[in-house]
Amino acid sequence: ETGVTQSPTHLIKTRGQQVTLRCSSQSGHNTVSWYQQALGQGPQFIFQYYREEENGRGNFPPRFSGLQFPNYSSELNVNALELDDSALYLCASSRGSQETQYFGPGTRLLVL
Amino acid sequence: AQTVTQSQPEMSVQEAETVTLSCTYDTSESDYYLFWYKQPPSRQMILVIRQEAYKQQNATENRFSVNFQKAAKSFSLKISDSQLGDAAMYFCAYNAGGTSYGKLTFGQGTILTVHP
């Protein structure tokens, strides 16, 4: 059984640019949640996608958006990048919106 | 809003000894789930153990067990027979059961060092 995968592993962008991060959910999982983890902090919930619809959102501005595809993989898009967007972005998949979440290895984003 | 507090920024333990990591949380919900995740330097968040609030019995997973005190809103993790591979950042996390979506709220983490 393949676990949660994310791409790319690392990314460097400049302020004002746009970025797309990708996540493939674990086999049998229909829900993907995205988290932002600043250095030395606990992850913060961005949003969750369940059956291709946004199912809940944390305290992040609209320039953070996402998609979920029919195969339940997901994308996180961030527009107008700011320096404070530099962080580890984690995605987690689960069998349902309230089920246990299993995390991918993360994408490290650096905004210069 | 729910909050999760881990009051120990760092802990250390000798190999083969036992260590307990503390976590408290604040919620007005009666139905929820609690988790411990570990995050090694490789940065992948790995599930250690899960506890349903409606279950009075403490969860155990091999060398890992929890002490869940619902009235005190306390959820500590005990690691027995510590191994070098247990060294990691440990996060306590909360998920409200009554909502339509599974948002995990994390504590600040505890760095665990294991000495040989």
Side-chain angles (χ1 to χ4, degrees):
Chain A
E1 183 178 280
T2 305
V4 180
T5 60
Q6 292 185 243
S7 63
T9 55
H10 296 83
L11 205 51
I12 300 174
K13 291 287 188 178
T14 56
R15 196 170 46 183
Q17 284 189 311
Q18 178 266 343
V19 69
T20 297
L21 310 182
R22 295 178 174 82
C23 172
S24 292
S25 58
Q26 189 169 316
S27 176
H29 290 188
N30 60 14
T31 303
V32 172
S33 304
W34 285 93
Y35 295 83
Q36 181 195 66
Q37 186 179 18
L39 200 61
Q41 308 271 333
Q44 299 290 317
F45 176 75
I46 303 175
F47 44 54
Q48 183 181 79
Y49 277 83
Y50 172 63
R51 294 185 176 178
E52 302 179 56
E53 297 286 333
E54 185 179 293
N55 189 38
R57 190 177 184 92
N59 189 27
F60 281 81
R63 59 189 186 84
F64 285 77
S65 63
L67 283 173
Q68 188 178 33
F69 300 99
N71 66 355
Y72 303 124
S73 65
S74 177
E75 287 182 354
L76 164 65
N77 299 291
V78 187
N79 293 321
L81 283 167
E82 300 177 0
L83 298 180
D84 284 350
D85 296 333
S86 296
L88 179 66
Y89 288 85
L90 296 167
C91 90
S93 75
S94 52
R95 290 188 181 279
S97 60
Q98 275 293 3
E99 298 299 316
T100 299
Q101 296 180 24
Y102 296 90
F103 284 82
T107 294
R108 174 75 67 191
L109 173 64
L110 178 61
V111 182
L112 301 175
Chain B
Q2 293 87 9
T3 58
V4 177
T5 302
Q6 294 179 248
S7 59
Q8 305 156 317
E10 297 183 31
M11 292 285 284
S12 65
V13 64
Q14 291 293 131
E15 200 174 4
E17 297 295 310
T18 296
V19 64
T20 298
L21 309 184
S22 301
C23 172
T24 58
Y25 57 95
D26 185 25
T27 183
S28 58
E29 305 287 337
S30 59
D31 179 23
Y32 52 87
Y33 305 88
L34 295 165
F35 304 85
W36 280 97
Y37 284 89
K38 69 181 272 191
Q39 189 176 38
S42 66
R43 80 193 185 198
Q44 180 150 10
M45 195 79 75
I46 301 165
L47 176 68
V48 175
I49 201 163
R50 162 185 162 128
Q51 174 80 45
E52 292 88 347
Y54 66 85
K55 289 186 176 179
Q56 293 187 347
Q57 186 172 7
N58 290 324
T60 62
E61 284 289 343
N62 301 313
R63 298 182 295 107
F64 300 87
S65 61
V66 299
N67 183 4
F68 173 48
Q69 301 289 326
K70 190 172 184 179
K73 296 179 182 175
S74 170
F75 183 60
S76 61
L77 174 70
K78 184 171 84 170
I79 306 173
S80 304
D81 185 26
S82 297
Q83 301 176 0
L84 295 177
D86 295 333
M89 175 82 93
Y90 284 79
F91 290 99
C92 178
Y94 166 98
N95 182 4
T99 60
S100 62
Y101 62 94
K103 165 189 171 182
L104 286 171
T105 299
F106 286 85
Q108 291 293 90
T110 297
I111 299 172
L112 177 65
T113 302
V114 181
H115 298 290

